[in-house]
């Protein structure tokens, strides 16, 4: 019944819109001072949509454009508010958001409607008087909104009012993601980034339909999340960073702020506490976590693999359970990432013993375990996620876990690591996995990259940004752009629409958008950036 009512309302809205179209004629002529640019080509979007059918029509956003949000779709009003907020600064238009059918008399508008699509699928129809995004969920509306933003002139991303005619190309886009998981990881442990910096990055990744933000919250150099039962983790363990730079941590309230900011942009936060290695900040904060009872000094170098929790001490498991319990309680998303990588100073049998004790704790607090692929050798329960960070080719342990029901997120270091230098001259980043130019980041297939892992076990992709050399938002952006959109496209777009020449051309069009936003990026010589 509820479904019938919803679809009936959508049909009424659609009918009302159609009926009103002849009555509304052309929008008011724009003032002569506005510059008129050729419209963007429908489909010149990153990530590439599944199906694009252009028409001769164009829609023009004006000071009288309104946004209608179908109240039968949960979250549509918030999506409408987000869209209005994105378009207001450059247009200067008020773009009020109404639920239909009220206000339909004003006609020309943007409609966010409830359709029969599932998940993040959406349809976008642009005609002379109407822009209609139809989706079955608010995540689908959100995906359609990100497409719509890229169909406006690049100056739409300017923070100040621009005298342009805001044209949107006509036609139909039908779109849905290839993979459910499309992630970006930010290492806030090696260097700390403030709530505002993380939110800035969330805004940037959401544009490319990235739907998970993995926060690497603890490592040797810093513990960045308040744990009320072990307060020194943050206040002492979080007090420094690589190179002795200043540290910091998120209170649980601030973490909640990040989680909600992400949620409002259709992004789910995946928190990571790296265990049992990468734990010097915790070991320095609490001597009792060390086998010899002696706390090591805080660490500000960039070595890996030298620290380990004390696997034989009961207090270790009390500590881990407290951390998992508190983190699970402030994390609405399904995943809790427990690291597990590079535990070079934890003997293999200790490593397995530790994980066999810790994995059930993740389930106990209602979360699905996620970890770097190293931890798959502890055979987590079916459905657990392993994040692959190798170089591709066959991997027996990852393949066995995939066959036993683990889900694999592909983040190969030689393709998806945003902290790898682009080339030898790159002022930031590391190069242990080689140099990674944009084309290297783009030309690989997540479904076949690891031998023995069937495509059906791959839940998606992730682009990790480790921050040993990354200290500012400008640094984050220089390494993420233009490679993050490459990984995002591999995660979203159907194999049939992928291809370097097309991506290269569509990516080039992002340059002016980043300039308008004030986003730093690496002007790769592989991309024909417009002058
Ligand atoms: C390896 S790959 C790490 C991190 C480093 C990164 C630097 C992996 C799971 N761990 O600890 O920050 O290399 O590129």
């Amino acid at each position: 019944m509820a479904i019938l009512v919803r679809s009936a309302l959508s049909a009424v809205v659609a009918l009302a819109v159609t009926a009103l179209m002849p009555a509304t004629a052309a929008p008011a002529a724009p003032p002569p001072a506005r510059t008129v640019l050729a419209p963007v080509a429908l489909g010149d979007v990153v990530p590439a949509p599944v199906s694009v059918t252009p028409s001769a029509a164009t829609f023009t956003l004006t000071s009288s454009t309104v946004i209608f949000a179908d109240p039968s779709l949960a979250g549509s009003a918030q999506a409408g508010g987000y869209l209005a907020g994105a378009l207001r600064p450059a247009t200067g238009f008020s773009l009020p958001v109404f639920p239909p059918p009220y206000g339909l008399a004003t006609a020309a508008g943007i409609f966010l409607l409830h359709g029969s699509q599932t998940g993040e699928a959406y349809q976008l129809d642009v005609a002379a008087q109407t822009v209609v995004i139809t989706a079955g969920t608010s995540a689908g509306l959100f995906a359609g909104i990100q497409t719509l933003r890229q169909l406006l002139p690049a100056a739409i991303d300017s923070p100040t009012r621009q005298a342009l005619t805001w044209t949107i190309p006509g036609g139909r886009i039908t779109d849905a993601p290839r993979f459910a998981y499309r992630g970006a990881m930010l290492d806030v442990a090696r260097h700390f980034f403030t709530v505002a910096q993380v939110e800035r990055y969330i805004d940037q990744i959401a544009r490319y339909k990235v739907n998970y933000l993995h926060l690497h919250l603890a490592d040797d150099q810093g513990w960045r999340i308040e744990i009320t039962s072990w307060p020194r983790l943050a206040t002492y363990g979080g007090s420094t960073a690589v190179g002795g730079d200043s540290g910091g941590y998120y209170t649980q309230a601030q973490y909640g702020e990040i989680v909600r900011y992400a949620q409002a942009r259709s992004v789910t936060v995946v928190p990571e506490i790296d265990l049992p290695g990468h734990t010097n900040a915790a070991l320095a904060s609490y001597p009792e976590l060390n086998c010899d009872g002696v706390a090591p000094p805080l660490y500000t170098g960039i070595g890996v693999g030298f620290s380990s929790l004390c696997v034989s001490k009961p207090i270790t498991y009390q500590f881990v359970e407290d951390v998992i319990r508190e983190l699970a309680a402030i994390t609405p998303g399904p995943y809790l990432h427990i690291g597990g990588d590079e535990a070079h100073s934890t003997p293999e049998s200790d490593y397995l013993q530790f994980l066999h004790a810790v994995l059930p704790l993740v389930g106990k607090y209602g979360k699905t375990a996620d970890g770097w692929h190293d931890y798959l050798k502890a055979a987590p329960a079916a459905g657990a996620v392993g994040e692959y960070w190798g170089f591709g080719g066959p991997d027996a342990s990852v393949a066995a876990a995939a066959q036993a029901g683990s889900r694999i997120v592909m983040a190969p270091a030689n393709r998806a690591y945003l902290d790898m230098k682009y080339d030898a001259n790159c002022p930031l980043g590391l190069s242990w996995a080689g140099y990674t130019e944009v084309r290297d980041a783009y030309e690989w297939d997540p479904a076949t990259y690891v031998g023995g892992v069937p495509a059906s076990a791959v839940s998606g992709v992730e682009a990790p940004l480790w921050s040993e050399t990354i200290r500012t938002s400008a640094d984050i952006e220089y390494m993420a752009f233009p490679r993050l959109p490459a990984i995002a496209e591999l995660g979203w777009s159907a194999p049939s629409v992928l291809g370097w020449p097309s991506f290269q051309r569509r990516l080039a069009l992002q340059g002016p958008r980043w300039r308008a936003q004030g986003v730093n990026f690496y002007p790769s010589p592989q991309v024909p950036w417009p002058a």
Side-chain angles (χ1 to χ4, degrees):
M1 182 60 191
I3 289 167
L4 269 179
V5 170
R6 275 204 299 273
S7 48
L9 177 58
S10 294
V12 167
V13 171
L15 273 176
V17 174
T18 318
L20 281 164
M21 277 171 58
T24 53
R34 289 183 187 275
T35 305
V36 182
L37 300 173
V40 171
L42 192 75
D44 272 357
V45 171
V46 177
V50 172
S51 150
V52 177
T53 313
S55 77
T58 54
F59 176 92
T60 303
L61 207 61
T62 71
S63 58
S64 55
T65 301
V66 291
I67 297 173
F68 299 99
D70 187 341
S72 79
L73 178 50
S76 67
Q78 289 88 333
Y82 172 84
L83 175 60
L87 305 183
R88 271 179 199 133
T91 62
F93 303 152
S94 60
L95 303 166
V97 182
F98 296 111
Y102 317 109
L104 275 182
T106 50
I110 301 174
F111 293 80
L112 308 179
L113 300 186
H114 195 174
S116 57
Q117 289 85 352
T118 55
E120 296 170 279
Y122 70 92
Q123 181 172 296
L124 171 64
D125 286 287
V126 181
Q129 298 297 315
T130 56
V131 172
V132 183
I133 301 175
T134 314
T137 67
S138 62
L141 281 186
F142 218 86
I145 284 170
Q146 299 303 352
T147 298
L148 179 61
R149 295 174 75 185
Q150 291 187 36
L151 294 176
L152 282 151
I156 195 66
D157 290 331
S158 167
T160 56
R161 199 164 167 163
Q162 306 292 307
L164 280 191
T165 296
W166 301 105
T167 319
I168 300 172
R172 167 171 291 184
I173 288 178
T174 312
D175 204 6
R178 178 184 185 190
F179 293 111
Y181 188 105
R182 304 170 311 278
M185 188 216 70
L186 185 61
D187 173 8
V188 297
R190 271 53 176 271
H191 277 99
F192 179 68
F193 299 97
T194 63
V195 172
Q197 287 177 300
V198 174
E199 291 179 349
R200 180 178 166 94
Y201 196 47
I202 291 170
D203 279 325
Q204 293 164 359
I205 66 176
R207 285 176 181 264
Y208 299 101
K209 303 184 173 74
V210 169
N211 62 347
Y212 286 91
L213 174 69
H214 166 186
L215 287 175
H216 185 75
L217 289 168
D219 211 304
D220 291 315
Q221 299 86 346
W223 185 286
R224 308 299 182 200
I225 179 74
E226 172 191 27
I227 300 295
T228 58
S229 53
W230 296 75
R232 265 175 67 82
L233 291 170
T235 57
Y236 181 70
S239 64
T240 188
V242 165
D245 285 338
S246 52
Y249 66 89
Y250 311 117
T251 63
Q252 295 197 0
Q254 288 173 322
Y255 174 84
E257 207 181 299
I258 292 172
V259 164
R260 284 189 300 278
Y261 192 90
Q263 260 174 345
R265 285 147 187 81
S266 215
V267 174
T268 300
V269 169
V270 179
E272 177 188 355
I273 299 294
D274 205 343
L275 305 167
H278 290 276
T279 43
N280 189 77
L283 297 167
S285 305
Y286 287 97
E288 59 269 40
L289 295 177
N290 297 269
C291 283
D292 62 4
V294 179
L298 292 170
Y299 180 71
T300 59
I302 65 165
V304 297
F306 61 88
S307 59
S308 178
L309 290 175
C310 186
V311 170
S312 60
K313 276 188 161 180
I315 194 164
T316 295
Y317 301 94
Q318 186 57 53
F319 162 75
V320 173
E321 180 159 1
D322 287 341
V323 170
I324 288 176
R325 187 186 64 250
E326 290 198 32
L327 205 50
I330 55 175
T331 300
Y335 303 117
L336 211 148
H337 198 302
I338 56 171
D341 60 313
E342 300 174 319
H344 305 318
S345 51
T346 317
E348 174 94 358
S349 61
D350 280 10
Y351 180 83
L352 293 174
Q353 182 192 331
F354 176 81
L355 279 164
H356 291 149
V358 165
L359 282 169
L361 298 175
V362 178
K364 177 175 174 183
Y365 293 101
K367 299 299 173 189
T368 298
D370 190 350
W372 298 105
H373 75 257
D374 320 43
Y375 97 122
L376 294 173
K377 59 182 175 234
V385 180
E387 189 171 354
Y388 177 79
W389 60 275
F391 287 60
D395 188 311
S397 150
V398 175
Q403 254 122 44
S406 283
R407 309 287 302 149
I408 310 300
V409 167
M410 293 293 172
N414 56 345
R415 303 289 189 168
Y417 268 33
L418 300 178
D419 66 315
M420 289 302 119
K421 289 177 181 288
Y422 293 96
D423 62 18
N425 298 320
C426 188
L428 300 170
L430 305 174
S431 57
W432 63 265
Y435 301 129
T436 307
E437 250 292 359
V438 186
R439 191 167 182 167
D440 304 309
Y442 186 73
E443 288 195 311
W444 60 284
D445 181 4
T448 58
Y449 204 63
V450 183
V453 173
S456 60
V458 176
S459 61
V461 295
E462 186 162 288
L465 179 49
W466 301 100
S467 63
E468 286 92 337
T469 67
I470 307 300
R471 306 169 72 211
T472 64
S473 284
D475 292 350
I476 291 175
E477 293 158 17
Y478 188 80
M479 300 308 270
F481 299 101
R483 290 180 295 192
L484 176 96
I487 304 301
E489 174 150 315
L490 294 183
W492 178 276
S493 303
S496 59
V497 297
L498 298 174
W500 174 250
S502 161
F503 180 66
Q504 197 185 21
R505 199 178 51 73
R506 288 178 291 106
L507 185 61
L509 300 173
Q510 302 298 307
R513 295 177 188 276
W514 294 327
R515 275 199 290 273
Q517 289 162 50
V519 168
N520 194 23
F521 66 98
Y522 164 64
S524 166
Q526 296 187 332
V527 180
W529 307 106

